[in-house]
Amino acid sequence: MDPEVSLLLHCDPLQPLGEQHIHVDISDRFNRQSFPEIEQHIEAVWSDRVTKEPWLFNGAKFRLHSAVLSVMEKGPVAEQAVQNLTHAQRGEGDLVESADKSSDRLAEDEQSCVLTLQLGLTCYKDYLGTNWSREAGRLQSHGQNECADPQAFLAQPLGVGAVMATADGDVVLLRRSQKVAEAAGLLDVPGGHPEPKMLCPGVSEQAICADLLQGKERAVVSEIFSSVCAEISDEVNVPISSLSKPLFMGIALNHTSAGRPSAEFYVRCTLTTEEVRDFYRHGGPEAHESTGILFLSRAKMFQLNEHSPLWSEMCPSAKGAVLLYQRVMPDC
């Protein structure tokens, strides 16, 4: 397997999840763990980066602590804990085998899946000082030793990405600009992060906390899903009205940033490939983040693997999205 990416969890083939099948539990209990030395390191990293890049902004993000994909059968919820991960980082092979065995044991009818996300809060500064830091490996070892969780001391901001298919069935990839902080020049799917600030109007980014989000769990889910379409619209410059409701396929881990998680979605667009290309050429709010657009046919998407020439041009988040698309949407 590609060492840059693995699948934390995935839906069954042809069973991506809609917004109504996602639940969140948000609490300060799910924030990253801390100790004085790492706080000093985070501050030092941030100070150095801001000196070099004074335009950087420390925004609040949702932190993924764990994800549980459960099966609801007729009657009460049957917690099968198909993939109760709690960031044990068992590796994709074990996850896939566990999921396949669990699926085989379950009836094929009278059931549906529910995804529960345990979320805390983090920020961009903490991400740079943990996941994206030279100390990430040491922090993972410390987390495993102290908390039996290698991600316990990492920011783990939850990202979102989208496999967007045009009306012709082509999938959109974007060539990232050389000016972006990560994966410059590589191919990526449209994506970004859901924003806690959208649910806390009038509150500064630094003051946002889990207590302010209590009772807003459905709004958090809505923000995760709506952020997918917002990112597509901003990056590809297509109208949000042309996009279908996102379908959740799974969560991929980017191991170039110490296992940072990204929820990947499938979205249909009512515009043709040429119409999308034309919208992109006219630019959008985040046009500076990419320098070109590429369309791959469905057949080419399913041919992509580690041995494909194009694979080496793709960033880890795009690879994760492709792997989930191939597994979850075989006949879409």
Side-chain angles (χ1 to χ4, degrees):
M1 294 299 297
D2 189 320
E4 291 187 344
V5 63
S6 65
L7 301 185
L8 186 64
L9 62 80
H10 60 82
C11 296
D12 288 335
L14 301 178
Q15 293 188 35
L17 303 182
E19 184 174 332
Q20 70 275 18
H21 295 112
I22 311 296
H23 299 277
V24 299
D25 180 8
I26 188 160
S27 170
D28 286 334
R29 303 192 317 274
F30 306 135
N31 294 352
R32 70 174 177 84
Q33 299 297 306
S34 177
F35 59 96
E37 184 181 351
I38 188 56
E39 299 310 312
Q40 295 170 8
H41 176 70
I42 290 172
E43 291 297 333
V45 169
W46 181 249
S47 177
D48 181 62
R49 285 293 296 269
V50 171
T51 299
K52 296 175 182 177
E53 305 167 66
W55 57 85
L56 287 180
F57 175 69
N58 184 28
K61 307 295 177 188
F62 293 108
R63 179 184 188 270
L64 181 66
H65 173 72
S66 71
V68 180
L69 190 60
S70 306
V71 175
M72 178 180 291
E73 299 194 74
K74 192 174 182 178
V77 175
E79 287 282 331
Q80 296 295 329
V82 174
Q83 292 150 6
N84 188 355
L85 303 157
T86 319
H87 296 312
Q89 306 294 324
R90 293 178 292 170
E92 185 186 7
D94 291 339
L95 287 174
V96 172
E97 182 180 0
S98 173
D100 288 345
K101 288 180 178 178
S102 297
S103 296
D104 288 342
R105 290 196 299 267
L106 299 174
E108 295 182 356
D109 55 358
E110 303 283 359
Q111 63 184 35
S112 62
C113 288
V114 174
L115 175 69
T116 300
L117 303 176
Q118 291 184 324
L119 300 177
L121 288 171
T122 187
C123 62
Y124 186 59
K125 179 176 76 172
D126 286 5
Y127 167 66
L128 291 181
T130 59
N131 287 74
W132 197 241
S133 165
R134 66 179 182 276
E135 297 295 324
R138 186 172 71 86
L139 287 174
Q140 287 179 309
S141 296
H142 188 62
Q144 182 62 50
N145 293 335
E146 296 296 320
C147 309
D149 176 4
Q151 307 305 95
F153 295 99
L154 302 185
Q156 294 296 90
L158 177 64
V160 295
V163 173
M164 172 193 151
T166 70
D168 303 315
D170 293 331
V171 170
V172 169
L173 294 177
L174 300 174
R175 178 74 67 180
R176 290 174 63 82
S177 165
Q178 292 292 341
K179 298 179 181 180
V180 295
E182 295 181 49
L186 297 179
L187 291 170
D188 198 3
V189 296
H193 297 85
E195 303 290 349
K197 67 181 178 182
M198 299 300 291
L199 308 177
C200 301
V203 180
S204 69
E205 297 271 1
Q206 292 73 23
I208 295 174
C209 62
D211 284 347
L212 295 177
L213 297 171
Q214 296 301 312
K216 297 182 179 181
E217 289 80 5
R218 291 315 307 169
V220 172
V221 175
S222 180
E223 166 59 18
I224 292 172
F225 274 73
S226 63
S227 69
V228 178
C229 291
E231 294 290 350
I232 294 173
S233 182
D234 288 347
E235 295 182 18
V236 187
N237 196 38
V238 296
I240 286 183
S241 60
S242 70
L243 303 174
S244 69
K245 293 181 179 180
L247 293 173
F248 171 86
M249 298 186 296
I251 297 175
L253 300 178
N254 180 345
H255 294 292
T256 66
S257 51
R260 175 169 53 102
S262 181
E264 303 296 342
F265 297 80
Y266 176 74
V267 178
R268 287 186 177 274
C269 182
T270 59
L271 301 174
T272 66
T273 297
E274 285 308 310
E275 287 172 329
V276 172
R277 192 192 308 274
D278 188 56
F279 271 103
Y280 177 80
R281 285 171 178 163
H282 284 84
E286 296 182 3
H288 62 282
E289 293 188 0
S290 66
T291 59
I293 190 167
L294 177 68
F295 297 90
L296 291 185
S297 68
R298 174 177 166 75
K300 289 184 178 179
M301 282 288 288
F302 278 87
Q303 291 169 1
L304 285 174
N305 57 48
E306 294 176 69
H307 307 293
S308 307
L310 196 63
W311 192 260
S312 62
E313 297 185 50
M314 299 172 67
C315 64
S317 56
K319 294 175 180 178
V322 168
L323 291 173
L324 285 165
Y325 174 75
Q326 291 173 339
R327 182 178 294 277
V328 180
M329 310 299 289
D331 298 317
C332 65

